[in-house]
Amino acid sequence: LGEEAYRFADLLMVGGQRYWQVLPLNPVSPAFGYSPYASPSAFAGNPLLINLDDLKRSKWFDLKIESQEEYDADFVDYDTIMHIKTELLLIAADCFFKNASEEEAKRFKTFCSREASWLDDYALFAACADHFGTNCWQAWEPAIAFRKKDALTKCNTAFCQRINFHKFTQYLFFTQWTLLKTYCNARSIRIIGDLPIYVPFDGADVWAHSDIFQLDPETRTLISVAGVPPDYFSSTGQLWGNPLYRWKNEEKKLHEGTYEWWVRRIRHLLKLVDVIRLDHFRGFEAYWAVPAGEATAIKGKWHKGPGRELFRRLRYDLGDIPFIAEDLGYITPPVTKLRRQLGLPGMKVLQFAFDRNNKNPYLPHTYTDRNCVVYTGTHDNNTTNGWFYGPEIDNETRRYVMEYIGTECFSDFHWHLIRLAYRSIADLVILPAQDVLGYGAEFRMNTPGTTSGNWKWKLKRGALTEELMLRLRHMAQLYDRIPSA
């Protein structure tokens, strides 16, 4: 969240870009392969994103630290960086609580008070996880795992220093993120955030709000888990393993506890981003429930989700929320109907378009509604060049793609797909940074259905140049994608 993030925002302006889409901003854990979609908190920010250089300018900070340039590489070594950064943040917290001015201490106290509805539970959870050496709260002492009042009181006292540390890192993250967002918004750049539909079992949200999830009330063990049936990405489906929500109460109406948690979650995220991408939108219409203990997702069943009632109430309580519906995968007519009833833009992914069916809904000539967002690919796809030049498609498909696009040029394919996206009727186009840079498959962000080697790529200092961004700007001007004001 330091100098390079601001430099990136400046480059977006150079390129005529007006939206910056980010992955979920929540903490990551080695237990889940550092995936931002399996965070121990749906509310907390990722401490690894805190800019340490910024702390040097704080009067309370009296530690000399190495420049972050030494860690600037194409891929993140999470294990090493987490160790180094945690140690430095522990020292920073000690400096803060010893040396902070009265004004700074007051700002910290105000932050803790304002965010107490989630921060108290998260900081206590994180401190307990540190003490027991695991996020798996069912492995903790039973009284703490089951949140017995006396046990929590003792933990708050015994782990007070560690609790304050975790609150401090959240204070730093939200302070730095707010400054960056303000900088972007002042330059007419809106941030698209990501809201994963599910949270992991081994996290603060399930530990603190077990009543809103489909758990056995006595043992708090999983009954069914989330996933998706066989699809484009996997022949056995995807077994995510997340706990499912109690969407309905005994009267078959929206479960109030679940609804209130979602209101708090969305209201919180709207303070951090301008637009929210609703991950796995189809799960709100119907969700795939797999019996706990299954090895694959094949034996799951569809269950009705909260549907229109959830969004009707959200709109009543929070106003018109700027959502983008991630409507990829197995999409049925009821899912499309729900999205259209809500007036939400869906997603079009060009890499899904070329199955040699000229009625494929991802082919730009089939678009009938401007209210959509076109992607060359997403974080779950290969890079565009990795897809086109690699083994995912055969030569006949490659020839079909080139004929559809109208080119005989085999090189720089990423620019051909970017142009195809830009000249579509879609109101918005989002390009993965890897596609702007023309990177190959080795720079892919995530491969669904795998648990290692993902989420490690990052934008290296200086990789994006003004020359590249001016090329994007020219294309945006050519296809009338530069806002007039």
Side-chain angles (χ1 to χ4, degrees):
L1 298 179
E3 178 186 346
E4 286 302 307
Y6 289 84
R7 170 64 176 161
F8 181 75
D10 292 339
L11 285 170
L12 290 179
M13 285 191 66
V14 170
Q17 309 299 302
R18 291 296 178 267
Y19 287 87
W20 176 1
Q21 181 168 331
V22 297
L23 291 171
L25 299 167
N26 310 107
V28 293
S29 166
F32 298 108
Y34 298 103
S35 168
Y37 291 90
S39 173
S41 173
F43 292 82
N46 186 352
L48 296 183
L49 297 178
I50 293 170
N51 175 37
L52 296 175
D53 289 335
D54 188 56
L55 303 187
K56 295 177 185 178
R57 294 185 283 274
S58 301
K59 292 182 180 179
W60 50 263
F61 192 72
D62 59 6
L63 174 72
K64 289 184 178 180
I65 57 177
E66 298 176 11
S67 170
Q68 288 178 285
E69 287 187 30
E70 296 195 13
Y71 309 112
D72 192 50
D74 289 308
F75 301 97
V76 180
D77 179 352
Y78 277 109
D79 293 336
T80 299
I81 294 300
M82 183 168 277
H83 173 74
I84 292 171
K85 208 154 195 176
T86 300
E87 290 300 313
L88 291 172
L89 288 171
L90 281 166
I91 296 170
D94 187 56
C95 292
F96 178 83
F97 290 117
K98 286 180 179 177
N99 306 326
S101 67
E102 186 176 334
E103 182 182 353
E104 187 79 29
K106 185 178 179 180
R107 284 199 291 268
F108 171 69
K109 187 176 180 180
T110 299
F111 168 80
C112 293
S113 176
R114 186 178 68 240
E115 306 297 335
S117 64
W118 65 268
L119 183 60
D120 288 351
D121 284 328
Y122 168 71
L124 178 56
F125 173 88
C128 288
D130 292 340
H131 175 75
F132 291 108
T134 177
N135 285 347
C136 180
W137 50 269
Q138 285 213 327
W140 302 349
E141 292 176 13
I144 301 172
F146 282 75
R147 293 179 59 85
K148 300 297 183 182
K149 186 175 180 181
D150 289 347
L152 296 189
T153 300
K154 289 179 182 178
C155 286
N156 273 304
T157 301
F159 305 149
C160 177
Q161 187 173 353
R162 197 70 177 191
I163 289 169
N164 282 334
F165 164 70
H166 287 294
K167 288 184 176 181
F168 170 71
T169 61
Q170 292 306 302
Y171 170 69
L172 290 183
F173 172 87
F174 283 95
T175 299
Q176 292 188 359
W177 178 264
T178 300
L179 289 172
L180 177 61
K181 181 179 182 296
T182 300
Y183 185 88
C184 291
N185 289 168
R187 285 150 182 78
S188 299
I189 297 167
R190 302 178 72 198
I191 295 176
I192 302 175
D194 202 312
L195 191 150
I197 186 171
Y198 296 122
V199 298
F201 180 70
D202 296 334
D205 303 288
V206 179
W207 177 66
H209 303 282
S210 60
D211 58 310
I212 74 170
F213 297 94
Q214 295 183 27
L215 307 180
D216 182 297
E218 298 297 324
T219 63
R220 297 191 186 177
T221 53
L222 293 161
I223 297 172
S224 297
V225 298
V228 291
D231 62 7
Y232 173 89
F233 292 113
S234 173
S235 60
T236 58
Q238 296 178 48
L239 185 64
W240 296 334
N242 307 79
L244 296 162
Y245 299 101
R246 293 190 187 276
W247 284 120
K248 303 291 183 180
N249 60 22
E250 292 178 357
E251 288 79 35
K252 305 298 181 183
K253 295 181 180 179
L254 199 57
H255 188 285
E256 286 302 314
T258 307
Y259 174 71
E260 289 168 8
W261 183 84
W262 271 89
V263 168
R264 291 196 301 273
R265 186 184 186 191
I266 292 172
R267 182 184 285 124
H268 177 73
L269 185 54
L270 285 172
K271 293 187 290 187
L272 303 179
V273 302
D274 302 294
V275 181
I276 295 175
R277 173 191 177 271
L278 279 175
D279 172 57
H280 195 56
F281 174 76
R282 76 104 49 248
F284 294 102
E285 192 280 325
Y287 58 88
W288 189 250
V290 184
E294 286 292 323
T296 72
I298 290 177
K299 293 184 179 179
K301 292 182 179 179
W302 289 110
H303 294 262
K304 291 300 292 182
R308 196 174 181 183
E309 176 66 7
L310 171 66
F311 292 95
R312 183 191 66 79
R313 289 190 58 181
L314 286 173
R315 191 165 288 173
Y316 179 82
D317 288 327
L318 299 177
D320 236 355
I321 307 167
F323 284 135
I324 294 172
E326 186 270 287
D327 55 347
L328 306 175
Y330 179 67
I331 302 302
T332 60
V335 179
T336 301
K337 180 181 178 181
L338 175 63
R339 181 184 62 76
R340 288 175 175 168
Q341 285 175 334
L342 299 172
L344 304 183
M347 292 173 56
K348 302 285 190 181
V349 179
L350 292 182
Q351 285 188 33
F352 294 158
F354 300 103
D355 59 357
R356 285 174 273 176
N357 169 16
N358 62 10
K359 291 182 174 58
N360 183 308
Y362 296 112
L363 287 169
H365 78 266
T366 69
Y367 303 171
T368 58
D369 185 1
R370 301 182 65 94
N371 188 31
C372 64
V373 186
V374 172
Y375 295 76
T376 49
T378 74
H379 59 268
D380 283 334
N381 292 97
N382 202 339
T383 65
T384 283
N385 279 348
W387 170 78
F388 182 74
Y389 295 113
E392 284 184 55
I393 60 175
D394 55 27
N395 286 332
E396 189 174 348
T397 301
R398 268 183 277 273
R399 284 192 289 270
Y400 169 70
V401 172
M402 293 175 67
E403 184 177 8
Y404 184 89
I405 291 174
T407 182
E408 295 180 357
C409 181
F410 193 69
S411 60
D412 288 338
F413 177 75
H414 57 295
W415 283 111
H416 296 303
L417 211 63
I418 289 172
R419 183 182 294 274
L420 184 65
Y422 266 42
R423 72 187 185 200
S424 74
I425 66 168
D427 281 337
L428 184 62
V429 174
I430 299 291
L431 308 172
Q434 297 100 310
D435 286 356
V436 177
L437 291 162
Y439 284 172
E442 66 273 23
F443 294 97
R444 180 175 185 157
M445 183 60 81
N446 180 51
T447 302
T450 64
T451 57
S452 62
N454 298 314
W455 313 111
K456 293 185 175 183
W457 178 77
K458 68 183 179 71
L459 187 62
K460 190 174 179 180
R461 185 188 303 265
L464 273 179
T465 63
E466 288 199 7
E467 181 182 7
L468 272 176
M469 299 310 288
L470 286 172
R471 185 170 181 179
L472 271 187
R473 186 182 189 89
H474 172 74
M475 199 174 291
Q477 288 172 328
L478 185 64
Y479 296 108
D480 193 27
R481 290 193 173 276
I482 302 278
S484 56

